[in-house]
Amino acid sequence: MKQRVLSGMRPTGQLHLGHLVGALANWKQLQDTYECFFMVADYHALMSEYEHAERIAQATIDNVRDWLAAGIDPKQSVIFRQSDVPEHAELFTVLAIMTPLGWVERVPTYKEQLREVKGRDLATYGFLGYPVLQAADILLYKAHAVPVGEDQLPHLELTREIVRRVHAVLKTDIFPEPKALLTEAPKLLGVDGRKMSKSYDNAIELSAPEASVRADVQKMFTDPTRIKMSDPGHPDTCNVCGYWKMFAPERHARMWEECRTSTRGCAQNKKELGDVVVALTEPFRAARARHTTPELERILQDGAQKARAVARQTMAEVKRAVGLSLEAA
Ligand code: TRP
C-alpha cells in the first residue's frame, strides 16, 4: 500500500516560475511514490480575498491548467477543489471545537499576516481558523505526508498537535500524525533580485506570452560589480547566472567559466537565458490551447468524486467517535 500525500495551493492568481521549482516539480515526482491528493484551496483563498472573490473561480481553473502542464496527472493523482467536498467544512467545525484558542492565536503566520497585509481586513473569526481548516484538509484524507515549503511548517506542527488533542479527547486514534516533506527547492529570485512573488511584481508567469517572458528576463539584474565586459564576473552572486544553473544545469559550468574569465558578456547571457526560459515555459503556453475550461471542470468534478468517497468515510468515523452518530463502523 502506498502512503498518502495531500497538498494544496491557494488560487489567488497566475502561477509563476517560483511555483514550478518550489512546489510543482516536487509534486510531479511524488506521484510515483505516493497516492497523491492535490487540492485547490479555494476556501483558504476566500479567507483573504473575500472582498474580491470574483477572481477565485477563474484562478482555480488556470491553476489546474498549469498543474497539468507541469506533469500532474489526473489519471494518477486526485485533483480537486476544496469547496467541492463539503466534508472539509464539516471536519473543520469539529476540529475548531476542540482546538484551544491560545494555539491558533500563537501561530506565527497569523500574527505576521495581520501585521503585514495592508488594505484587507484579516481580523476576522474565519482567518484565525486558517490553519485549522488546513488541518482538516490533511486529516480528512488521513495523509501521512504533506509536501510544503518552510513557511508552512507551523501549520503542520499545529495539525500534529490537533491530532494528539483529538485523540486524547475522544480516547481513540483516528488520524496518522502527518509529517512534513520539506520542499528543499532553491529559493528562486524574481527579476529584481528579491524573492519571486506576485505581490512584488517581479515574477515570470508560467503561461505568459513569449515576448513578455523575454522582456522579463531582459529586466534582470546581473553582477553589479561587473561594469564593463572585460571585468571578471561573479556568477555565484549573479541572479542571471543562478537561473542558468537552475534551468540549464548541463550548460551552466561552461557559461559560468566564460563569465568569470570575461569571455562572455551579461547581455549575451540574458539573451540566451531568454531562449532557455521561453523553452521551459512553452508547455504552459501550449496548455492554454490544449485544455478547454469545460475539460478542466470535468477533471475537477471527477477528482471531487474520488476525494468525497474518502472524505465521507472519515467524516462518518469522526461523527461516531465524537458521539454525533450511532451508526456502526
Ligand atoms: N496554506 C497553504 C499555502 O498557503 C495552502 C494549503 C491549504 C495547504 N490547505 C493545505 C497546503 C493542506 C498543504 C496541505 O501554501
Side-chain angles (χ1 to χ4, degrees):
M1 270 287 270
K2 280 185 179 172
Q3 291 217 324
R4 196 174 276 164
V5 147
L6 178 129
S7 199
M9 235 183 243
R10 293 158 53 232
T12 53
Q14 297 289 331
L15 299 187
H16 53 62
L17 278 180
H19 295 108
L20 182 65
V21 298
L24 291 174
N26 190 36
W27 286 12
K28 174 183 154 73
Q29 285 206 325
L30 290 170
Q31 295 183 115
D32 299 327
T33 326
Y34 292 90
E35 180 189 7
C36 292
F37 286 72
F38 296 123
M39 178 188 77
V40 184
D42 57 347
Y43 274 132
H44 277 109
L46 191 61
M47 282 180 180
S48 51
E49 315 287 315
Y50 60 92
E51 289 164 303
H52 304 283
E54 64 281 354
R55 287 195 289 259
I56 294 178
Q58 187 61 51
T60 297
I61 294 294
D62 291 340
N63 285 8
V64 171
R65 185 181 282 117
D66 285 344
W67 293 5
L68 299 190
I72 309 303
D73 177 3
K75 289 198 201 67
Q76 221 179 341
S77 303
V78 180
I79 299 174
F80 70 103
R81 165 167 46 201
Q82 188 181 34
S83 68
D84 282 339
V85 181
E87 284 80 5
H88 287 257
E90 287 192 70
L91 184 58
F92 169 66
T93 302
V94 174
L95 299 183
I97 288 167
M98 299 186 185
T99 302
L101 188 54
W103 290 9
V104 277
E105 286 173 335
R106 265 207 312 268
V107 172
T109 48
Y110 174 68
K111 293 190 288 193
E112 186 189 300
Q113 300 255 10
L114 282 194
R115 220 177 29 240
E116 301 293 330
V117 177
K118 305 279 179 250
R120 276 181 283 184
D121 185 5
L122 295 183
T124 65
Y125 173 58
F127 192 66
L128 181 64
Y130 184 107
V132 181
L133 179 59
Q134 187 164 347
D137 299 337
I138 298 164
L139 299 181
L140 208 42
Y141 303 95
K142 301 191 180 187
H144 304 95
V146 184
V148 285
E150 204 161 356
D151 60 313
Q152 295 292 310
L153 287 179
H155 295 171
L156 214 65
E157 198 43 49
L158 182 73
T159 302
R160 297 157 60 84
E161 281 176 317
I162 291 176
V163 168
R164 294 194 284 269
R165 164 92 171 152
V166 168
H167 289 169
V169 170
L170 301 180
K171 299 185 183 62
T172 175
D173 289 0
I174 299 181
F175 306 112
E177 269 185 46
K179 65 169 189 286
L181 296 178
L182 195 58
T183 311
E184 34 186 301
K187 274 260 174 305
L188 187 73
L189 301 180
V191 294
D192 61 356
R194 295 188 290 170
K195 183 185 175 219
M196 185 174 283
S197 161
K198 186 168 62 101
S199 48
Y200 291 161
D201 198 23
N202 65 0
I204 300 178
E205 284 173 1
L206 290 175
S207 55
E210 197 177 312
S212 99
V213 171
R214 284 190 202 281
D216 281 342
V217 172
Q218 247 349 281
K219 273 191 278 191
M220 287 177 73
F221 298 152
T222 53
D223 176 1
T225 65
R226 193 175 181 201
I227 317 266
K228 305 186 296 299
M229 188 181 149
S230 56
D231 297 332
H234 302 86
D236 288 310
T237 53
C238 167
N239 196 21
V240 171
C241 293
Y243 269 56
W244 271 100
K245 185 171 178 188
M246 199 167 326
F247 297 124
E250 66 299 337
R251 282 167 65 193
H252 96 276
R254 185 172 54 83
M255 190 244 121
W256 277 34
E257 190 49 33
E258 291 171 1
C259 167
R260 277 196 200 94
T261 53
S262 313
T263 51
R264 166 189 264 272
C266 298
Q268 187 191 353
N269 257 348
K270 285 213 264 193
K271 188 173 170 304
E272 288 175 28
L273 180 63
D275 296 337
V276 169
V277 179
V278 163
L280 181 78
T281 47
E282 180 48 33
F284 297 90
R285 279 184 297 277
R288 272 205 162 150
R290 189 170 328 115
H291 301 288
T292 62
T293 297
E295 190 186 341
L296 295 163
E297 285 285 2
R298 259 197 312 281
I299 288 173
L300 283 172
Q301 289 314 315
D302 181 51
Q305 262 190 19
K306 292 181 191 155
R308 275 205 90 178
V310 178
R312 227 184 256 124
Q313 250 182 12
T314 304
M315 212 42 229
E317 199 181 334
V318 168
K319 282 187 175 174
R320 273 194 307 276
V322 295
L324 294 177
S325 154
L326 291 175
E327 248 170 65

